[in-house]
Amino acid sequence: YLTALFDLPDIEGAKIYVLTSKDELASILGFDYFIAPPFGLTYAEKDIVLTALNSEWHPHELAHLIFRSYAKTHRFFQEGVATWCGGSLGQSLLDLTILLKKENEKRGQPLSFKSVLQAEQNESLAYYTYGALIFKEVFERSGGRGVKNVLIEGENNSISIEEIIANALGISIFDIDDFLQKSLNSYIKNNTINY
């Protein structure tokens, strides 16, 4: 479905290695352990997916494979598009937004976009969820062409991530934090009955 929607090459020849645990994934890669072990890894240039979910169905990693033509884009965009299309850590985008909202409430305030970009893996829930919400909105505004344009622009180191996002959303870079919080709340409200 995604390959047709975005006019991307098929992944029929890809190899998917199904592993039973994150420890097994670490072992296959030659590590005794990971400090922050992933549930999956994609080697897009080799058409290989490793999944530790004990199933070949790992939508996030499959999305990385489908968007492999854009493997040189900024990591924030890579993870954002994969989370928008396939969730993350076995959780849907709705689950992720609810978890992030609860985390923000515990903190007393939401994380700023800048702090999330700088923290990256230390704030992976916000990093992945913010990226997914941005791609959701870009798609709603500009369709597949808009999504691909953001991924292409993300390969250019002379343009800031904030500028790319602001241009794609038609907002000021100073309004990104406000956009993200409104998107988070709106997504939860529009997709749940009793939240």
Side-chain angles (χ1 to χ4, degrees):
Y1 173 76
L2 287 176
T3 54
L5 182 63
F6 292 99
D7 191 29
L8 294 169
D10 204 344
I11 62 168
E12 281 184 20
K15 295 176 185 78
I16 301 172
Y17 296 93
V18 179
L19 309 167
T20 58
S21 69
K22 295 188 283 184
D23 289 337
E24 187 178 7
L25 177 58
S27 177
I28 292 264
L29 296 173
F31 299 105
D32 293 331
Y33 64 94
F34 284 117
I35 292 173
F39 279 96
L41 290 171
T42 299
Y43 295 96
E45 68 283 354
K46 297 188 185 286
D47 286 347
I48 293 174
V49 171
L50 303 170
T51 174
L53 295 179
N54 202 23
S55 167
E56 68 276 355
W57 181 242
H58 195 145
H60 181 92
E61 295 304 326
L62 293 172
H64 277 306
L65 194 59
I66 289 167
F67 285 95
R68 66 191 177 278
S69 307
Y70 303 97
K72 292 183 181 170
T73 196
H74 191 282
R75 186 170 184 278
F76 177 77
F77 293 138
Q78 289 177 21
E79 296 303 343
V81 77
T83 303
W84 171 58
C85 293
S88 182
L89 303 175
Q91 308 264 349
S92 70
L93 179 55
L94 179 58
D95 294 335
L96 296 169
T97 58
I98 291 169
L99 286 170
L100 182 56
K101 183 172 176 72
K102 287 179 180 176
E103 197 173 277
N104 287 342
E105 288 167 356
K106 281 183 193 171
R107 279 190 180 99
Q109 67 181 22
L111 292 163
S112 71
F113 180 67
K114 184 174 185 159
S115 68
V116 169
L117 270 184
Q118 290 172 342
E120 202 171 314
Q121 279 305 108
N122 292 331
E123 294 296 347
S124 62
L125 174 61
Y127 192 86
Y128 285 39
T129 306
Y130 281 176
L133 290 170
I134 288 166
F135 276 108
K136 177 192 162 300
E137 184 66 24
V138 168
F139 183 75
E140 288 175 3
R141 290 176 184 232
S142 310
R145 173 60 46 212
V147 168
K148 289 166 94 171
N149 285 342
V150 168
L151 293 169
I152 291 166
E153 288 179 25
E155 296 175 1
N156 184 346
N157 293 328
S158 66
I159 304 171
S160 75
I161 299 302
E162 292 89 348
E163 287 177 277
I164 295 168
I165 292 166
N167 289 340
L169 298 176
I171 62 174
S172 159
I173 61 171
F174 303 107
D175 293 329
I176 292 174
D177 284 338
D178 187 50
F179 161 81
L180 288 168
Q181 294 322 303
K182 285 180 179 172
S183 288
L184 184 71
N185 293 328
S186 167
Y187 190 79
I188 293 169
K189 182 180 176 190
N190 293 335
N191 292 285
T192 58
I193 297 170
N194 294 321
Y195 190 85

